[in-house]
Amino acid sequence: MNSIIGIDIGGTHTDIVHMHHGKLIASLKHLNTDAVEDDLCDVLTSLLSAHPRISKSVDAIHIGSTFALNALLKGHSLSQIGVIRLAGHEPITLPPGYLLPSHIRDHVVKDYATVQGGYECDGRVITHFQEEEIVCALRYFLSIGVTSIAVCGVFSSINPDQEIAVRRIIQEHTGNKLHVSLSHEVGSMGFMERENTTILNAALYELTKKHFAGLKKRFKEIGFHCPLFYTDNYGSLITDEVAINYPIRTLLSGPSNSLRGGIELTQMEEGIIVDIGGTSTDIGKVKNGQMTRSSAKTSIGNISLNMPHADILSLPIGGGSVLEMNDTSFKVTSESVGKNLLECSQSFGGKTLTLCDLAIAAGSIEIEGASKILPESVAVDGLQAILEMILSECRKVKGEEEHLPILLVGGGAALFRGLSSDVIILDQDEIMVANAIGAAMASPTYRIDRVIDQDDPDIIAILKKEAINHIQEQHQISSDKIRLLEKQQYSLSYSGGKQVRFTAIYGW
Amino acid sequence: MFSLDMLHHLSAGMAFLGSGGGGDPSLRQAMARYHCEQFGMPEIISADQLQDDDIIVPLAFFGAPNIGQERIASGKELPALLHHITCYYGKKPKAIMPAEIGGGNGLTPMLIASELGYPILNGDLIGRAFPKLHMAIPHLLGINATPAFVADIFGRVTRFDNLSPEELEKAARKHVITCGSSAAIACYIMTGKQARTSIAKGTLTQAFEIGKALSANRLQSIITQYGGRYCLQGVITHIQHYNQDGFLHGRVTICSENGEDAYLHFQNEFMHAEGSDGKIISTSPDIITLMDSDHHSVITTDQLRFGLCVDVVTLPAPNIWYIEEARSMVAYHPIKEEGDVR
């Protein structure tokens, strides 16, 4: 790919960049309105009017979107869903969605049906799957106004066949009208968390489709005929079709895009990237030019999920963080003034003491119209203490690899300029649009997460072929470019050593 | 005695007493909460309230803990056990109790007590978590582990008769594989008279007190109250796993503030803590607990992460574990390291 447009839809701004052979050609920032489609079209039109020759040469548009995350946190306009549990032992110990926040549990999950099926850890079925039960459940769901269905089967990561059969049956009976989210496609081991992940995906589908399904057409009208991609939870590319069907996969694309942007801007092979924004700081580790990933449980707005994601540690520290002052020391509170920085900060005549005020008083940054409200030495000491807090979190992320360099990026990085020789702070203006650059530079991957028999000599080759075929089909990339990025085997203590959980990521 | 919003204290305290093992109680806590929301809180009774000929049933889930995270309990297991036990003895048991206070199993009786109207006896068979069925206080005091009852997810019950605790451990472990590697068990079923002298008493209260103190960040008060010891603070700098006999074994290295390394060996539970010079810091049967220094939460052996800042704390196990016969049963034996498997 030679010429890419990267767009990052953030909470307040939509950023756009045009990258040519990895070099930044043009960039723009756009203040968001309430209509995400219009913002996207506006920002593209603005770019086009500034650089009229772009559209003909663009190979693809990559979008990083926090739309799903914000929709979930707000909880409005989510679909009414039905849950099908493939669990022949008919568990009544916990109902679907029990661990979700009440606004989702009570208003999104209309009802559920437990049906025969599911697998044991050794691959046997718990009970045999029965097609009539699915038809029956479907009829019931339709009668109560369900518009999207989540399916979660026990050990579907060992064998997804039953879940796939459920989708086929529902689509046959509804003529593809009802959307079906399958748990093995969105989450990993751990039934309740995977079921939650599937429920949220089903809840987000219609809203995502409403806003994003027509985009390709509108982009064409503006003059962009290229394919459209989105970035996912670990900063990889997914097609627009996948992004619309699996909105949950885009939930965490914001922080992973900024990390990817940091990697691209610095060509970092190994190290720690710290993205300091207005309200939060994201810390991630880079290995072999890639960000590290995790399948461990993750928590978003108090929702416990188990989908694979970039391994990022987020701290509630940013340029707009509100500080409490005790004598000459400062405490960072969990509050932030966010986009109202210039109105609220004391340096600009406001009433709130922010991290930004410290940086102005310390002389790390200069902003027109700002006054220094503290003695320089006090401010420098305060900033240093806060930087030390961030660095101590970085040391946790480093683990044993103490030699790794620490790089500060993002709009808030400059606040800490000149304070410590332990960190590198980039001087480029590109830092401000690192997210969009990250989206532009994202590449496709395919993730395998299966329980396999160690004695089966062919299985890994089969899975590899599946991964390569998938990437080739969706992204038109020649197979010799696709390589193994990451591989892990976990022993499963119950299986007597024969079965292992195998995860691998292929990409380029 | 306990209310619904105290469940998380109870659960945190049980994790603490798990010595790093016994599984993550969070799923079990959710199940207990759901049960109690529907049927109310259970009555908690003390061993002194029992009649001599009362029947007391210790309950636990056993097998591979990660199975229960995926194939969650059906809810048929425990009622089936209690039904069969009632038929077998010809009378309804007086109370149920956790077989093991440490980890997720501490809450197991709360998944059924209120619905079926059983009080829960304040105590357990171990006073902490141990990985094998024969590692139990009643065994040390000569109480039979059998007849023992095992129920699978469909509520199908198998009875084991005339087996020593070690034999039951082998037989039940073999049987549980046919149940998909997780099942519910009732063993060391005893009389009220036996229960007064043969269990770790008051451990539900202990777990609750610990959990409450943790939530208020009063680690030191737990140490003072239960005669424990604060060992060290440090950062996890290395984690090694090796697999043997289907149990999770390994070693975690903690670099303390003064730059010295300490090693924690685990075999499901944290079994042994030593300095880099080989000097023993604490060893089984001591309860060795790892705390996340920043979040004041317990870290189990499957939640270990590089770079975590941790406190190592030990509490004594119930006294009986320190007699020679008991010590040798649960002592730490180093195993041959087979290198990292993950």
Side-chain angles (χ1 to χ4, degrees):
Chain A
M1 293 284 175
N2 296 326
S3 183
I4 308 283
I5 285 178
I7 304 177
D8 182 79
I9 311 170
T12 40
H13 284 98
T14 295
D15 300 346
I16 187 165
V17 296
H18 178 218
M19 306 283 287
H20 193 72
H21 287 291
K23 278 211 174 88
L24 183 66
I25 304 293
S27 67
L28 274 175
K29 267 177 124 60
H30 168 87
L31 196 63
N32 287 348
T33 65
D34 284 338
V36 63
E37 311 92 302
D38 295 344
D39 287 334
L40 284 166
C41 291
D42 289 351
V43 79
L44 267 174
T45 315
S46 310
L47 186 77
L48 204 55
S49 57
H51 306 269
R53 284 170 53 205
I54 283 176
S55 64
K56 286 173 196 146
S57 61
V58 169
D59 294 311
I61 297 175
H62 297 177
I63 299 176
S65 161
T66 49
F67 179 81
L69 180 63
N70 291 334
L72 202 59
L73 295 178
K74 281 188 204 139
H76 299 315
S77 321
L78 300 175
S79 302
Q80 305 270 296
I81 74 150
V83 182
I84 293 180
R85 262 188 183 176
L86 285 156
H89 61 308
E90 299 166 9
I92 52 163
T93 43
L94 280 178
Y98 182 73
L99 297 168
L100 290 175
S102 60
H103 74 271
I104 294 175
R105 184 179 63 212
D106 301 339
H107 302 295
V108 171
V109 181
K110 283 283 275 185
D111 208 347
Y112 70 100
T114 304
V115 300
Q116 300 304 307
Y119 296 92
E120 300 279 5
C121 60
D122 55 13
R124 288 178 293 160
V125 291
I126 295 178
T127 54
H128 287 282
F129 176 74
Q130 290 169 11
E131 183 155 345
E132 316 83 78
E133 268 192 314
I134 308 298
V135 179
C136 198
L138 176 62
R139 210 170 286 146
Y140 167 63
F141 284 150
L142 289 173
S143 77
I144 58 169
V146 159
T147 54
S148 183
I149 289 180
V151 183
C152 189
V154 178
F155 279 113
S156 60
S157 45
I158 292 183
N159 188 343
D161 287 354
Q162 293 177 349
E163 285 190 358
I164 293 167
V166 172
R167 173 183 282 158
R168 177 184 52 76
I169 294 163
I170 292 176
Q171 294 188 334
E172 277 170 13
H173 281 78
T174 59
N176 287 335
K177 277 196 192 116
L178 212 55
H179 188 260
V180 185
S181 301
L182 303 184
S183 81
H184 78 275
E185 296 177 333
V186 294
S188 49
M189 296 274 264
F191 188 85
M192 290 304 292
E193 284 87 7
R194 191 172 68 252
E195 189 177 62
N196 286 349
T197 311
T198 318
I199 287 171
L200 297 182
N201 192 70
L204 284 165
Y205 167 72
E206 288 182 301
L207 186 65
T208 311
K209 189 181 167 207
K210 187 178 144 204
H211 289 287
F212 291 88
L215 267 188
K216 219 170 169 174
K217 192 164 159 266
R218 289 189 63 179
F219 285 0
K220 257 184 205 162
E221 288 161 11
I222 302 173
F224 291 93
H225 295 267
C226 56
L228 188 54
F229 295 100
Y230 290 79
T231 58
D232 73 5
N233 292 330
Y234 42 83
S236 299
L237 275 192
I238 50 179
T239 63
D240 60 334
E241 193 194 334
V242 171
I244 288 165
N245 279 298
Y246 306 101
I248 200 83
R249 286 198 194 167
T250 65
L251 213 59
L252 303 173
S253 62
S256 40
N257 282 340
S258 64
L259 231 68
R260 158 75 60 194
I263 295 171
E264 294 300 333
L265 287 174
T266 56
Q267 295 299 307
M268 182 184 265
E269 278 294 312
E270 251 194 348
I272 303 292
I273 291 188
V274 184
D275 178 27
I276 303 176
T279 49
S280 69
T281 292
D282 298 319
I283 305 171
K285 181 150 68 170
V286 181
K287 283 194 127 179
N288 304 320
Q290 300 267 337
M291 66 190 105
T292 52
R293 297 160 166 123
S294 166
S295 299
K297 277 191 217 171
T298 178
S299 178
I300 298 156
N302 254 338
I303 308 168
S304 178
L305 304 170
N306 67 346
M307 55 196 183
H309 55 278
D311 200 0
I312 291 170
L313 180 72
S314 289
L315 310 174
I317 300 176
S321 284
V322 177
L323 306 182
E324 276 170 19
M325 190 172 176
N326 303 312
D327 292 333
T328 53
S329 70
F330 301 91
K331 188 175 163 250
V332 183
T333 68
S334 56
E335 306 281 312
S336 169
V337 295
K339 59 182 174 182
N340 303 320
L341 188 68
L342 296 183
E343 290 128 58
C344 299
S345 286
Q346 290 184 4
S347 306
F348 299 96
K351 289 197 173 134
T352 316
L353 181 66
T354 66
L355 183 54
C356 200
D357 293 327
L358 277 195
I360 290 166
S364 340
I365 52 167
E366 282 177 34
I367 302 178
E368 224 180 279
S371 50
K372 299 191 176 191
I373 52 146
L374 287 163
E376 188 173 313
S377 63
V378 173
V380 168
D381 288 351
L383 270 184
Q384 217 130 28
I386 293 164
L387 180 60
E388 184 48 43
M389 273 168 64
I390 296 173
L391 292 181
S392 103
E393 297 298 319
C394 290
R395 282 192 277 276
K396 288 182 203 167
V397 177
K398 278 183 181 180
E400 280 170 290
E401 296 155 289
E402 286 166 27
H403 63 279
L404 294 179
I406 299 175
L407 179 80
L408 266 49
V409 301
L415 305 183
F416 299 103
R417 204 178 292 276
L419 284 180
S420 167
S421 55
D422 293 345
V423 299
I424 309 158
I425 299 175
L426 278 189
D427 257 326
Q428 297 151 272
D429 291 340
E430 287 94 322
I431 279 186
M432 304 296 284
V433 287
N435 286 22
I437 292 176
M441 300 308 287
S443 58
T445 61
Y446 185 78
R447 186 173 187 280
I448 297 165
D449 183 354
R450 293 278 173 80
V451 176
I452 60 168
D453 192 334
Q454 260 182 321
D455 293 342
D456 185 342
D458 304 323
I459 182 73
I460 290 183
I462 292 170
L463 292 173
K464 181 181 173 181
K465 195 152 182 287
E466 176 187 311
I468 290 175
N469 286 345
H470 182 91
I471 297 176
Q472 269 188 299
E473 263 173 43
Q474 304 227 303
H475 301 271
Q476 282 82 46
I477 291 166
S478 78
S479 63
D480 53 333
K481 280 190 181 169
I482 300 167
R483 61 191 173 94
L484 182 68
L485 299 178
E486 209 179 292
K487 189 174 81 167
Q488 265 184 313
Q489 275 194 24
Y490 308 84
S491 63
L492 299 173
S493 56
Y494 50 82
S495 66
K498 287 239 172 185
Q499 282 179 317
V500 291
R501 179 172 165 199
F502 174 79
T503 68
I505 298 172
Y506 285 88
W508 68 296
Chain B
M1 182 171 165
F2 300 119
S3 67
L4 204 55
D5 51 6
M6 292 172 180
L7 267 181
H8 66 282
H9 291 324
L10 205 51
S11 170
M14 286 166 178
F16 192 97
L17 291 172
S19 195
D24 174 8
S26 61
L27 184 66
R28 207 63 63 80
Q29 187 198 333
M31 290 178 177
R33 165 173 284 273
Y34 181 58
H35 182 84
C36 295
E37 277 171 0
Q38 294 173 88
F39 303 104
M41 293 305 289
E43 183 192 354
I44 310 288
I45 60 171
S46 78
D48 308 327
Q49 290 168 262
L50 298 172
Q51 305 289 319
D52 279 359
D53 59 351
D54 284 342
I55 296 170
I56 312 302
V57 181
L59 295 169
F61 282 93
F62 85 119
N66 47 3
I67 292 287
Q69 301 287 321
E70 174 65 32
R71 195 197 62 178
I72 62 171
S74 70
K76 299 184 187 78
E77 302 89 345
L78 302 173
L81 286 179
L82 289 163
H83 174 74
H84 273 73
I85 290 164
T86 303
C87 294
Y88 180 86
Y89 288 98
K91 71 174 190 182
K92 188 178 170 181
K94 171 69 188 173
I96 57 179
M97 66 185 284
E100 169 180 65
I101 195 73
N105 260 329
L107 288 172
T108 298
M110 289 214 179
L111 303 192
I112 197 62
S114 307
E115 185 183 0
L116 297 188
Y118 289 101
I120 298 176
L121 181 59
N122 189 348
D124 76 299
L125 304 182
I126 311 178
R128 49 165 293 162
F130 275 131
K132 300 198 169 167
L133 295 174
H134 60 267
M135 299 172 172
I137 293 170
H139 174 30
L140 300 171
L141 297 171
I143 291 172
N144 290 332
T146 55
F149 300 78
V150 173
D152 72 4
I153 45 169
F154 297 105
R156 295 179 299 210
V157 174
T158 305
R159 195 176 82 225
F160 295 84
D161 285 320
N162 298 317
L163 298 178
S164 73
E166 289 85 356
E167 288 165 341
L168 175 68
E169 161 64 30
K170 283 204 182 102
R173 192 73 59 184
K174 206 171 158 189
H175 174 69
V176 78
I177 292 173
T178 67
C179 304
S181 290
S182 177
I185 187 166
C187 54
Y188 299 102
I189 296 166
M190 60 181 87
T191 64
K193 188 179 176 189
Q194 288 171 320
R196 281 201 291 274
T197 55
S198 313
I199 63 167
K201 284 189 197 172
T203 48
L204 282 175
T205 315
Q206 187 190 8
F208 175 71
E209 296 287 342
I210 290 173
K212 207 170 133 193
L214 288 180
S215 76
N217 192 16
R218 287 191 286 112
L219 187 59
Q220 191 53 49
S221 76
I222 301 169
I223 293 168
T224 312
Q225 186 178 353
Y226 296 103
R229 195 154 48 88
Y230 183 89
C231 300
L232 61 112
Q233 184 174 61
V235 174
I236 297 182
T237 55
H238 192 63
I239 305 164
Q240 251 180 313
H241 285 102
Y242 21 92
N243 211 17
Q244 186 175 306
D245 316 326
F247 286 100
L248 188 62
H249 295 210
R251 188 182 83 168
V252 48
T253 308
I254 297 165
C255 182
S256 69
E257 278 171 323
N258 58 20
E260 275 177 38
D261 280 348
Y263 303 114
L264 246 68
H265 298 265
F266 56 93
Q267 297 174 358
N268 282 11
E269 285 77 30
F270 292 115
M271 294 290 284
H272 189 73
E274 60 185 6
S276 54
D277 54 359
K279 199 172 157 229
I280 295 172
I281 297 169
S282 181
T283 193
S284 172
D286 285 355
I287 298 166
I288 303 172
T289 296
L290 213 59
M291 300 289 303
D292 180 329
S293 311
D294 298 326
H295 300 98
H296 315 295
S297 59
V298 175
I299 300 165
T300 57
T301 51
D302 50 7
Q303 293 169 336
L304 294 168
R305 265 186 73 141
F306 289 110
L308 275 180
C309 185
V310 294
D311 300 290
V312 181
V313 186
T314 75
L315 289 193
N319 278 334
I320 189 165
W321 287 114
Y322 293 90
I323 62 170
E324 195 44 44
E325 182 198 350
R327 253 181 193 276
S328 64
M329 184 192 289
V330 298
Y332 164 71
H333 296 290
I335 62 163
K336 201 174 137 275
E337 299 182 10
E338 290 171 7
D340 291 6
V341 295
R342 64 176 184 185

